[in-house]
Amino acid sequence: MNSISYIILVWIFVLIASIFNHHILKTFSDQEVSHIEEATIRPLHNERLTLEELVGSTENYKCPPNLFLAKDSFAPTDTAGTKRKIPKIIHITGKTRCLSKVFHDIVNSWRFPDHTLVFHDDDAVDRLLFQRHYPEFPHLQTTLRCMVSGAAKADVWRYLVIWEYGGVYTDLDNLPGELFLRKDVIRDDTDAFFEQEIGMFPSQYFFAASPRHPLMYYSMMHALMRLMDVKNVTKLYVPFVTGPGASKSAMINFIGEGRPGEGIYKGTHNRSVTVVDGNMQPPNKYVYRGGKLRGNRKNIAYREMNMTHFGEVKSTYKDSCIDLLYEETVLAAAEDGQN
């Protein structure tokens, strides 16, 4: 993209965002493409919710037979990470708190006496993404309208929740490795923590960071910019647009290297990141990626909980993200007699 095209893209980005602020925000689903459905009005606020307010109560949560409720567990305040840069908070997300036994057992494996564990269902994810104004991400709610996948939404959410609250993010199907709780792994002065993926780039299925870490800001910005640049929302390739591709570019911004080896690196504003070898032998020392579920067994387990893999989500809207936003904001405003 040349400089003129980039300037035009940014100008359109700002224009659409300003128009969108007077319009409505839409809900998303893992199984249905909802960016072209009737929208739900959600007024934005500026106050950050507590973790308890964010994840909501499970008091009235009822699960169908053969599914089990994933509850939150809050550590005492004096052990919840106040002396560490990275709070002792485990963040896990899923479409619903009602889990099959195998996933329920995996979630429970992340419960530690001195850690808070919070499970973010779709409602909690929406509260974080759609109900608050973020001055540092002014185009967030606008750009999310281009998503056709719950996986892409979960990518953006994981960057934002760690940016806001700090802690550890792990995919729903991961198990903690035997080295995870070693005191010399995530130390009091550890600022951010990543494994190496097989391709040597930083892990996106598991990471930890202190609140307001530059890596989370860069990851958010790369994901949102790539979403805006999607030429066909039907063909949005999640791993590149919002997933590991975005986090790799964030690492390049932070330390100038997208495939860092094992070590501690200084980056923006003298913040740091620790990278460990996730490919060491024997494997799964820090986090057991995929845990007990592999291949088709994982897809079957997801379907039991009414969840859909990103590759199975379909959309009938075939234009670019910018075209979609233009139709849903500028043209919508014209039809409403607001311009």
Side-chain angles (χ1 to χ4, degrees):
M1 179 184 299
N2 59 41
S3 59
I4 295 177
S5 298
Y6 181 79
I7 292 172
I8 294 173
L9 176 60
V10 171
W11 181 84
I12 294 174
F13 203 172
V14 173
L15 174 64
I16 294 174
S18 63
I19 295 172
F20 180 75
N21 283 337
H22 300 285
H23 283 272
I24 49 184
L25 304 176
K26 293 193 175 183
T27 58
F28 287 75
S29 166
D30 278 314
Q31 288 194 311
E32 296 180 357
V33 180
S34 57
H35 63 281
I36 55 175
E37 294 176 352
E38 192 66 29
T40 301
I41 297 176
R42 293 181 177 179
L44 300 180
H45 58 80
N46 295 315
E47 298 78 20
R48 191 182 79 159
L49 300 175
T50 66
L51 272 178
E52 292 91 338
E53 291 170 334
L54 179 66
V55 297
S57 171
T58 60
E59 184 177 349
N60 298 319
Y61 223 104
K62 295 183 179 180
C63 294
N66 301 321
L67 294 181
F68 302 85
L69 179 63
K71 294 185 177 181
D72 306 310
S73 52
F74 293 91
T77 54
D78 61 338
T79 62
T82 54
K83 296 181 179 179
R84 295 203 323 177
K85 286 187 175 180
I86 299 177
K88 293 182 179 180
I89 305 170
I90 310 292
H91 299 274
I92 302 176
T93 187
K95 179 178 178 63
T96 172
R97 287 178 178 268
C98 296
L99 306 178
S100 63
K101 187 177 187 306
V102 63
F103 279 115
H104 190 260
D105 290 344
I106 290 173
V107 169
N108 286 338
S109 71
W110 289 96
R111 297 187 192 276
F112 311 111
D114 60 343
H115 280 63
T116 286
L117 183 146
V118 282
F119 192 95
H120 305 255
D121 63 8
D122 271 4
D123 289 340
V125 169
D126 285 350
R127 274 191 287 272
L128 184 73
L129 292 176
F130 297 113
Q131 295 187 19
R132 183 181 168 195
H133 172 64
Y134 298 94
E136 59 271 65
F137 309 115
H139 310 119
L140 173 62
Q141 284 88 15
T142 308
T143 312
L144 289 178
R145 295 169 72 111
C146 292
M147 287 187 180
V148 299
S149 166
K153 177 182 172 185
D155 284 338
V156 173
W157 167 84
R158 75 188 65 181
Y159 306 139
L160 185 59
V161 77
I162 300 299
W163 167 260
E164 282 291 306
Y165 297 92
V168 177
Y169 167 79
T170 179
D171 278 356
L172 179 58
D173 56 353
N174 290 336
L175 287 167
E178 63 183 68
L179 298 182
F180 174 74
L181 284 183
R182 254 178 38 179
K183 293 185 182 300
D184 60 344
V185 173
I186 298 183
R187 306 177 312 200
D188 286 352
D189 62 350
T190 301
D191 204 6
F193 184 89
F194 287 79
E195 273 197 337
Q196 288 177 324
E197 289 256 25
I198 295 176
M200 298 293 288
F201 45 85
S203 58
Q204 203 246 0
Y205 55 85
F206 165 86
F207 56 81
S210 56
R212 296 296 194 272
H213 196 284
L215 272 169
M216 297 300 102
Y217 177 83
Y218 293 143
S219 296
M220 280 286 293
M221 292 301 289
H222 277 288
L224 296 178
M225 288 190 296
R226 290 181 182 203
L227 273 168
M228 283 293 294
D229 201 35
V230 167
K231 301 299 186 295
N232 185 328
V233 295
T234 304
K235 298 181 180 180
L236 189 159
Y237 183 55
V238 174
F240 172 78
V241 176
T242 60
S247 57
K248 176 186 172 184
S249 294
M251 190 67 76
I252 293 173
N253 276 116
F254 185 59
I255 62 172
E257 171 60 58
R259 292 183 171 89
E262 193 167 37
I264 301 176
Y265 298 84
K266 290 288 185 179
T268 305
H269 291 166
N270 208 35
R271 302 292 293 273
S272 66
V273 59
T274 299
V275 180
V276 297
D277 185 1
N279 304 305
M280 64 190 302
Q281 296 299 324
N284 309 314
K285 286 293 186 180
Y286 295 100
V287 59
Y288 187 1
R289 187 178 184 185
K292 303 175 182 179
L293 298 171
R294 298 288 179 179
N296 192 50
R297 186 184 176 197
K298 180 187 296 188
N299 293 331
I300 293 173
Y302 280 140
R303 290 193 184 99
E304 288 177 356
M305 301 181 297
N306 200 28
M307 295 172 64
T308 305
H309 188 270
F310 73 86
E312 298 174 357
V313 178
K314 305 300 181 184
S315 171
T316 58
Y317 194 96
K318 298 182 179 181
D319 288 334
S320 69
C321 176
I322 291 178
D323 286 333
L324 184 152
L325 296 178
Y326 181 82
E327 289 189 11
E328 294 194 350
T329 55
V330 179
L331 295 184
E335 291 175 359
D336 293 341
Q338 296 181 16
N339 67 344

